Amino acid sequence: MKGTGDSTKSQQRDNFRKNKLKGKTLKEMGIFWPYLIIPTHRLTFKPLVFFLRTVIMDFFFIQFRVKWGWKKIPIVQVSSSIDDFVPYRPEVSDTYLDFINFWIRPLNFIILRLGRKRALPYLAGFVALIGTAYAEASRVYRFRMSTTIRPPAGNNKNMKTIHRVDPHLHCVPSLHIAVIVLTYCFFTDVFRQENLSQEEQAMYAEELWQGAVEIGETILYVKQHSVNCIPAALYMMTHLLKEQFTIQRATEFIDCLFATASDIAPQHRQEIQDHIHYMFDRLVLEGCNEEDWTIPVMRWLATQPEVEK
């Protein structure tokens, strides 16, 4: 009888949380709890340390070491003429900078929706996976750093900050693309595992998908990446998330890019998508004969022109 009572109370708590959040978007729920819980709980602290160390040492610090001449890694130019079809829009830089909160928000949601105890293993798992994504990308960066042609920041404060703090040498593969893919796949999987209602799953999955597409477009609008940076990241994630992120899903993501954009001509939108499809398919086909996903990416980078220092 005690077990039945506990089960009933658990169901009541679940229904209470569900009803309290009903109709709210992930954005409306905020970002507070992950920032409080992840650094302070023993289950999440270790993967957090790994993630932060990887970001600091293998993403930021190594770029500055190369920029300042303390370390020698060839830098290649990976821009494409196709990039010119995407207008420079610094006014959408808020979306670009919302990249971190994009994956913090669903973490906050599962804490509110599931309760801290049930959410903790997912928090630890996600932080560990995002650290792995950064570590995997760094294997490519250590072979060749890559950059793109970007216009001056102008008077936009966000772009001035981005240009000041980002050495812009880690373009292929794009970690923005890798992490938004990871976020979508991981949390839609959590929603299924936790048997959220079909209404909830559909609502939050759609919000994550649309947010991922928007960020995917924005990295091109603010000229932080090239069309050549996206396919390598999608290809990487088909290996890191073999079960969840399929080639078909990657294709669907490409097809959604700029699908509703009014500032890009339809024929140019088609050329953008066709180019990304071609590059992605090329990496997939070349990777069929390789045990290491990085080899096709490195092979392509080795053919790109080096930047004169």
Side-chain angles (χ1 to χ4, degrees):
M1 296 297 291
K2 183 178 179 181
T4 302
D6 289 344
S7 177
T8 301
K9 287 181 180 179
S10 176
Q11 186 62 49
Q12 288 174 343
R13 286 194 296 268
D14 188 69
N15 288 335
F16 174 78
R17 288 190 291 260
K18 176 183 175 181
N19 292 331
K20 187 176 181 180
L21 301 175
K22 188 174 182 179
K24 290 186 177 180
T25 65
L26 298 175
K27 280 191 174 182
E28 290 172 330
M29 294 179 213
I31 57 175
F32 174 74
W33 288 108
Y35 284 106
L36 177 65
I37 294 173
I38 292 175
T40 58
H41 197 280
R42 58 179 178 78
L43 192 64
T44 50
F45 183 73
K46 186 175 179 180
L48 176 64
V49 170
F50 168 68
F51 168 57
L52 292 178
R53 182 197 174 283
T54 304
V55 171
I56 294 168
M57 300 303 295
D58 294 336
F59 187 76
F60 282 110
F61 186 53
I62 193 172
Q63 288 187 79
F64 281 107
R65 288 176 67 196
V66 171
K67 180 179 179 180
W68 295 333
W70 297 353
K71 185 176 180 65
K72 294 189 180 298
I73 297 176
I75 304 170
V76 297
Q77 175 59 248
V78 295
S79 288
S80 166
S81 59
I82 301 290
D83 297 327
D84 294 337
F85 296 150
V86 183
Y88 178 49
R89 293 184 54 197
E91 69 273 15
V92 301
S93 55
D94 282 338
T95 301
Y96 178 82
L97 293 174
D98 193 48
F99 162 68
I100 294 176
N101 285 336
F102 176 75
W103 55 265
I104 292 291
R105 281 191 286 267
L107 287 173
N108 190 67
F109 166 69
I110 63 172
I111 294 169
L112 295 174
R113 179 63 178 83
L114 305 179
R116 189 184 72 162
K117 186 176 180 180
R118 276 169 65 190
L120 272 169
Y122 296 123
L123 269 62
F126 182 82
V127 176
L129 272 174
I130 199 172
T132 299
Y134 271 77
E136 282 291 300
S138 73
R139 295 171 56 211
V140 175
Y141 303 149
R142 290 178 181 277
F143 170 72
R144 290 286 192 281
M145 288 195 169
S146 49
T147 191
T148 63
I149 299 169
R150 58 181 182 177
N155 295 322
N156 185 279
K157 291 182 179 180
N158 286 342
M159 295 310 301
K160 284 181 178 180
T161 300
I162 292 167
H163 284 213
R164 189 179 305 116
V165 303
D166 179 13
H168 195 54
L169 299 177
H170 284 175
C171 289
V172 173
S174 164
L175 274 166
H176 266 69
I177 295 296
V179 172
I180 60 176
V181 164
L182 172 58
T183 301
Y184 174 80
C185 291
F186 183 88
F187 289 104
T188 53
D189 197 44
V190 171
F191 302 157
R192 285 191 294 271
Q193 288 183 50
E194 289 295 329
N195 294 316
L196 267 63
S197 68
Q198 291 300 313
E199 180 185 4
E200 288 175 293
Q201 290 190 44
M203 175 181 173
Y204 299 125
E206 179 65 14
E207 183 178 353
L208 287 174
W209 181 261
Q210 292 303 326
V213 171
E214 185 179 20
I215 290 175
E217 294 171 348
T218 301
I219 67 172
L220 298 180
Y221 275 131
V222 299
K223 303 298 179 179
Q224 280 292 105
H225 281 286
S226 163
V227 290
N228 286 328
C229 307
I230 295 175
L234 295 176
Y235 171 65
M236 178 178 83
M237 298 314 290
T238 61
H239 283 262
L240 266 62
L241 301 173
K242 290 181 181 178
E243 304 263 328
Q244 299 148 301
F245 191 63
T246 62
I247 292 173
Q248 179 182 352
R249 203 56 170 151
T251 299
E252 291 171 358
F253 180 82
I254 297 169
D255 287 339
C256 287
L257 292 174
F258 303 111
T260 60
S262 59
D263 53 0
I264 298 176
Q267 66 270 26
H268 290 161
R269 178 175 65 244
Q270 191 63 55
E271 287 189 57
I272 292 167
Q273 292 178 348
D274 287 348
H275 181 84
I276 298 173
H277 276 303
Y278 167 75
M279 289 294 297
F280 175 71
D281 291 345
R282 173 180 171 176
L283 292 171
V284 170
L285 289 172
E286 290 186 18
C288 288
N289 297 319
E290 307 293 349
E291 294 183 2
D292 187 341
W293 74 268
T294 66
I295 292 176
V297 179
M298 291 179 178
R299 187 183 295 129
W300 180 80
L301 285 171
T303 67
Q304 302 311 297
E306 285 196 30
V307 175
E308 295 184 9
K309 299 178 183 178

